[in-house]
């Protein structure tokens, strides 16, 4: 038994993880931090070591006196086999006021996703007005800031899926 402990200590010293699953990683790669964006935009990134039982959420938070969180994509953002993901999201309104937004990406369980979907049903005010507080959406994986500008001046955009 002492030999097993010694082996684990030696492997750990060498930087080799023993009996510990690799840490999940989800990052936003596009748009870049502080990009000028129109609406809608494609938020895209990379992932690794994420269980397919997890749900990816992009959350939009406009700057302003009254914080309103806008979870996007219903937690159904596809984790592609090539280690990438993307979600087309609204950031502000076309022709609406310019301003700064924070984009967050979360990993959520099915239970957390169900709870958020329940709060975002189309017949409820939060569907269009956003949420005054962010429900438990799991683990915050990454965040960036973007500036909403008129679409003709934007660095990034996307076509909503039909």
């Amino acid at each position: 038994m002492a030999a097993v402990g010694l082996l684990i200590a030696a492997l750990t010293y060498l930087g080799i993880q023993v009996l510990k699953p690799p840490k999940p990683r989800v990052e936003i790669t596009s748009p870049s931090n502080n990009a000028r964006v129109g609406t809608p935009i494609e938020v895209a990134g990379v992932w690794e070591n994420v269980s397919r039982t997890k749900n990816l959420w992009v959350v939009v938070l406009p700057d302003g006196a009254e914080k309103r969180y806008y979870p996007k994509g219903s937690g159904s953002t596809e984790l592609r086999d090539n280690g990438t993901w993307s979600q087309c999201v609204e950031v502000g309104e076309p022709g609406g006021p310019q301003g700064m937004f924070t984009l967050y990406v979360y990993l959520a369980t099915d239970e957390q996703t169900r709870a958020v979907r329940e709060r975002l049903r189309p017949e409820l005010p939060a569907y269009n007005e956003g949420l005054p507080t962010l429900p438990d959406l799991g683990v915050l994986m990454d965040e960036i800031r973007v500036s909403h500008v008129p679409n003709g001046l934007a660095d990034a955009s996307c076509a909503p899926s039909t």
Side-chain angles (χ1 to χ4, degrees), residues 103-133:
L103 305 178
Y104 302 97
V105 62
Y106 282 87
L107 273 182
T109 64
D110 286 342
E111 183 178 326
Q112 291 163 327
T113 293
R114 276 191 298 278
V116 174
R117 286 179 181 160
E118 181 63 26
R119 290 184 63 187
L120 293 174
R121 290 193 331 259
E123 65 271 16
L124 298 177
Y127 184 76
N128 291 316
E129 298 171 9
L131 300 169
T133 59

Side-chain angles (χ1 to χ4, degrees), residues 7-99:
L7 178 61
I8 291 174
L11 291 173
T12 302
Y13 176 77
L14 294 173
I16 300 170
Q17 296 294 320
V18 179
L19 304 175
K20 190 174 183 182
K23 185 175 180 180
R25 180 177 72 95
V26 178
E27 293 178 4
I28 299 169
T29 58
S30 177
S32 60
N33 196 37
N34 295 313
R36 299 171 343 140
V37 301
T39 193
I41 63 167
E42 181 179 41
V43 181
V46 296
W47 68 274
E48 65 182 13
N49 304 319
V50 174
S51 166
R52 295 295 179 113
T53 63
K54 297 290 185 181
N55 301 292
L56 188 75
W57 283 87
V58 175
V59 177
V60 177
L61 174 64
D63 279 4
E66 183 181 0
K67 284 191 172 189
R68 296 303 243 183
Y69 295 89
Y70 296 88
K72 302 293 184 176
S74 302
S76 59
T77 302
E78 178 187 3
L79 298 174
R80 296 185 199 100
D81 290 338
N82 66 358
T84 64
W85 60 271
S86 65
Q87 178 71 49
C88 192
V89 301
E90 301 275 334
V91 177
E93 298 176 20
Q98 298 181 32

Side-chain angles (χ1 to χ4, degrees), residues 132-154:
T133 59
L134 189 61
D136 179 14
L137 263 177
V139 180
L140 174 62
M141 301 303 293
D142 200 8
E143 66 183 86
I144 63 167
R145 303 267 297 153
V146 296
S147 174
H148 175 250
V149 297
N151 282 3
L153 302 174

